[in-house]
Amino acid sequence: MNEITGPANGSMPDWEKRFRAPRVGLPEWAADAPDRSLFVSNVTGTYELYAWDRTTGGRRQVTDRPNGTTEGALSRDGEWVWWFSDTDGDEFGVWMKQPFGGGEDIPAAPDLTPSYPAGLALGVGGLAVVGRSTDDEGTSVHVVRPDATAPYEIYRHEESAGVGDLSEDGTLLVIEHTEHGDAMHSALRVIRVADGSAVAELDDTEGGSRELGLDCLGFAPVPGDTRLLVGHQRADRWLPMIWDVASGEETALAIDLPGDVHAEWYPDGAALLVVHDFHARSEMFRYDLAAGGLTPLDTPAGSVAGSTARPDGSVEYLWSSAAQPPSVRSTTGAVVLEAPGLRAPDSVPLEDVWVDGPAGQIHALVQRPAGSGAGPFPTVFEIHGGPTWHDSDAFAAGPAAWLDHGFAVVRVNYRGSTGYGREWTDALKHRVGLIELEDIAAVRGWAVSSGLADPERLVLTGGSWGGYLTLLGLGTQPDDWAVGIAAVPVADYPTAYADEMEALKSLDRTFFGGSPEEVPERYQVSSPLTYVDQVSAPVYISAGTNDPRCPIRQIENYVERLRKLEKPHEVYRYDAGHGSLVVEERIKQIRLELAFALRHVGG
């Protein structure tokens, strides 16, 4: 099948239905008005924010912008919807707010100039704490009070940082900071909202000398309670503990689970909602703080993309699997929220494969096209972004589209991925890109030797960091791949560093051990542009012209070199940032990618 079509009757193909089917995100509810919720949906064809009054059932579209809106929050009293207004996906802008019931958008903090967002915390009585990041000034944190004439600053540092959480009474704030210079491993500082003075500090990096991170999971939801739920890496994986910021006491939790464990408070502060991620799947538990035990919550096999404990003790969660599309469910057994109209068709389940690699076993997720025999198949290696992320048993319309066109799909949780221990995640530092490709090459070898993959029809593809690894792989492993398809990639690393947002500069300095001026050879050896002469496969690149993460100039540098070397390539530029929130645009991009691959390797 070499055409991107549907059934013979001319109806819409399943792959396109999966993109067009309306989706809803997990509703966020107002702390002091739990019947008021905010969620994201693409029901209009663009991802926007929606207000939902659970008492009446009424749903209302809050934002309406050409390139969509996904970043928003509800005030504690449920009276206001805050949303971040940037320009066509450039992630640089200001916070706006709109009455929950509808009305005019107004600047939420009119005295704060545009910036990249660095966190937001909304407290009692209309209190707001706004984190900002700029290329010139680093990170700053500002307090916005409804009765004050202007915001006031309570934190500033040149390294990356972010707003964590406000205490229930609004007097204390947690800052996640990397003042020690390691942007992969944050420390926590608790300060007074009134004047920014320090209350407590927790730094497992010991000033940057140890690679141990901390994560703010939230203050106890009880007035006057100074317990802070903290994620830590002291056991070589993420686990929660409780830190009393007033006394300094740290309380370990009796949670003996093998993978990463994340937690949040139940609304009464007496228990924790625990989400356990292990080997690309999720399960949920209730942890009773008095009894100290875990109670399993009924969780179907698959992945939980978000969860929240409601005041009545039920848990709402966003669930999917590779075979079944996402839905917002409740532990009561109900479906919490559905979008009207077309339902996304199912896809095929995945299988787990473990491959011996240079640094241990590599977990790969494999899907075979339905009803296509045993193989070998034309095979797509779809490489995830991040890089501190991991592929899981979750629904994804992109891989499903490849499967519908006769391709097998392989996804690799290479070194740098989360979910396999701290050492696995941290391994990518200094040999950036190259160690990930060693793992991908090992899985490629398995795919060919096992009979799954046709070695002459292998497609390497990915977006963001996955796009970067695609271009780097085409240059450093030119004999391994028949086609490369890179979306919003890093293509020329030194130039990308010069143009990217400040928070990513900090991360790159951590990855490489310095800036391009300080360690130029490390950036050169890890830059796709260094190896462009060796590229032999046809290359397809898509790029957002307003992308602050993988900026357009460095992509143009790479494309110009391809042109001068007369390498076969195609480029698609679109007017958005780091990806698109517009369904039609996303379908267009997938259609172009499929056509490019089918033209060169068939399907």
Side-chain angles (χ1 to χ4, degrees):
M1 179 166 57
N2 288 317
E3 296 181 4
I4 309 168
T5 62
N9 62 12
S11 62
M12 185 187 301
D14 281 352
W15 75 264
E16 190 172 332
K17 290 178 183 176
R18 294 190 191 96
F19 283 94
R20 293 195 187 281
R23 295 192 184 187
V24 292
L26 181 71
E28 169 198 337
W29 50 277
D32 297 331
D35 286 331
R36 292 190 169 189
S37 294
L38 183 69
F39 65 92
V40 175
S41 177
N42 67 341
V43 68
T44 64
T46 302
Y47 284 92
E48 297 286 2
L49 295 170
Y50 289 77
W52 175 28
D53 188 333
R54 297 184 185 221
T55 58
T56 66
R59 305 178 194 176
R60 182 184 68 81
Q61 184 174 342
V62 175
T63 54
D64 185 8
R65 302 193 303 150
N67 282 302
T69 315
T70 58
E71 191 160 0
L74 278 176
S75 61
R76 284 189 59 109
D77 60 9
E79 292 296 323
W80 292 93
V81 177
W82 285 57
W83 60 275
F84 191 76
S85 175
D86 65 353
T87 303
D88 295 329
D90 67 359
E91 301 182 45
F92 194 83
V94 298
W95 285 98
M96 304 292 289
K97 66 179 184 179
Q98 181 185 128
F100 182 85
E104 181 183 0
D105 291 309
I106 61 174
D111 295 301
L112 296 180
T113 57
S115 69
Y116 297 110
L120 173 72
L122 302 179
V124 294
L127 171 70
V129 179
V130 179
R132 302 172 65 254
S133 173
T134 66
D135 295 336
D136 299 328
E137 300 177 346
T139 306
S140 61
V141 175
H142 305 259
V143 177
V144 181
R145 294 188 182 275
D147 56 350
T149 57
Y152 59 91
E153 183 178 295
I154 57 172
Y155 178 86
R156 178 178 291 272
H157 200 276
E158 61 184 10
E159 294 290 353
S160 61
V163 171
D165 190 35
L166 277 166
S167 60
E168 187 73 4
D169 59 10
T171 61
L172 302 177
L173 175 75
V174 184
I175 301 286
E176 296 177 332
H177 74 82
T178 60
E179 294 175 9
H180 47 268
D182 181 351
M184 291 183 70
H185 303 95
S186 295
L188 301 180
R189 180 173 302 151
V190 180
I191 62 176
R192 294 180 179 87
V193 173
D195 57 9
S197 58
V199 173
E201 181 91 14
L202 195 61
D203 181 7
D204 281 5
T205 75
E206 297 180 1
S209 62
R210 303 181 67 198
E211 295 180 335
L212 293 174
L214 296 168
D215 186 19
C216 169
L217 302 178
F219 273 107
V222 179
D225 197 327
T226 55
R227 292 176 300 163
L228 180 67
L229 188 61
V230 173
H232 68 88
Q233 294 180 298
R234 298 172 184 176
D236 192 39
R237 63 190 190 278
W238 284 105
L239 290 171
M241 69 175 187
I242 293 176
W243 175 38
D244 190 321
V245 303
S247 68
E249 180 184 3
E250 298 175 15
T251 303
L253 304 176
I255 298 176
D256 185 18
L257 296 170
D260 284 344
V261 178
H262 308 274
E264 65 176 73
W265 297 95
Y266 271 79
D268 60 4
L272 302 177
L273 169 59
V274 170
V275 178
H276 175 225
D277 289 321
F278 185 57
H279 291 175
R281 291 169 182 85
S282 310
E283 55 184 345
M284 299 188 300
F285 301 84
R286 176 186 169 95
Y287 183 89
D288 186 277
L289 289 169
L294 285 171
T295 302
L297 302 177
D298 186 23
T299 315
S303 293
V304 174
S307 59
T308 182
R310 292 281 292 165
D312 64 1
S314 65
V315 173
E316 297 177 353
Y317 60 101
L318 181 61
W319 176 91
S320 72
S321 70
Q324 293 181 270
S327 59
V328 181
R329 303 184 177 195
S330 170
T331 52
T332 64
V335 174
V336 176
L337 187 64
E338 286 185 297
L342 181 69
R343 182 189 181 277
D346 290 350
S347 187
V348 299
L350 58 80
E351 59 187 87
D352 299 273
V353 172
W354 293 88
V355 177
D356 289 333
Q361 285 204 311
I362 307 158
H363 190 193
L365 310 179
V366 176
Q367 291 172 283
R368 303 169 188 263
S372 298
F377 304 104
T379 300
V380 171
F381 276 68
E382 180 158 299
I383 310 304
H384 72 73
T388 50
W389 189 251
H390 67 271
D391 279 315
S392 60
D393 186 4
F395 195 77
W402 290 108
L403 290 162
D404 286 0
H405 286 82
F407 291 82
V409 175
V410 178
R411 288 176 281 176
V412 182
N413 284 329
Y414 51 77
R415 276 172 288 171
S417 302
T418 55
Y420 301 88
R422 175 172 50 84
E423 184 178 348
W424 191 261
T425 302
D426 289 348
L428 62 82
K429 292 172 63 175
H430 306 329
R431 294 189 63 242
V432 177
L434 303 175
I435 63 155
E436 299 98 298
L437 287 169
E438 289 174 357
D439 292 347
I440 292 166
V443 177
R444 178 199 179 278
W446 165 83
V448 172
S449 64
S450 69
L452 171 76
D454 181 344
E456 302 302 318
R457 296 196 292 170
L458 295 180
V459 179
L460 185 62
T461 184
S464 190
W465 197 265
Y468 159 62
L469 293 178
T470 294
L471 296 184
L472 190 62
L474 294 178
T476 60
Q477 303 167 347
D479 297 330
D480 287 357
W481 310 105
V483 173
I485 300 174
V488 290
V490 174
D492 168 8
Y493 223 127
T495 303
Y497 179 91
D499 293 353
E500 69 192 3
M501 57 202 300
E502 182 58 36
L504 292 184
K505 286 185 171 70
S506 297
L507 190 59
D508 281 340
R509 289 194 296 271
T510 297
F511 286 162
F512 288 96
S515 69
E517 290 74 25
E518 294 166 324
V519 287
E521 69 288 347
R522 290 181 178 174
Y523 282 83
Q524 182 179 19
V525 79
S526 293
S527 178
L529 188 61
T530 302
Y531 308 98
V532 68
D533 294 24
Q534 298 167 214
V535 172
S536 58
V539 185
Y540 177 91
I541 299 174
S542 61
T545 56
N546 302 315
D547 192 344
R549 298 174 181 267
C550 298
I552 191 67
R553 182 169 71 104
Q554 51 96 26
I555 293 174
E556 300 289 11
N557 291 347
Y558 186 89
V559 170
E560 178 61 16
R561 285 288 298 278
L562 287 175
R563 187 190 66 78
K564 287 184 177 180
L565 292 166
E566 298 183 341
K567 305 282 187 179
H569 68 280
E570 292 182 16
V571 183
Y572 174 66
R573 302 168 183 84
Y574 57 95
D575 187 21
H578 198 60
S580 177
L581 300 175
V582 179
V583 173
E584 286 292 347
E585 175 60 40
R586 188 70 186 117
I587 290 172
K588 179 180 180 181
Q589 292 176 24
I590 293 294
R591 185 176 283 117
L592 290 170
E593 292 173 5
L594 288 166
F596 188 82
L598 291 168
R599 190 160 62 250
H600 290 287
V601 300

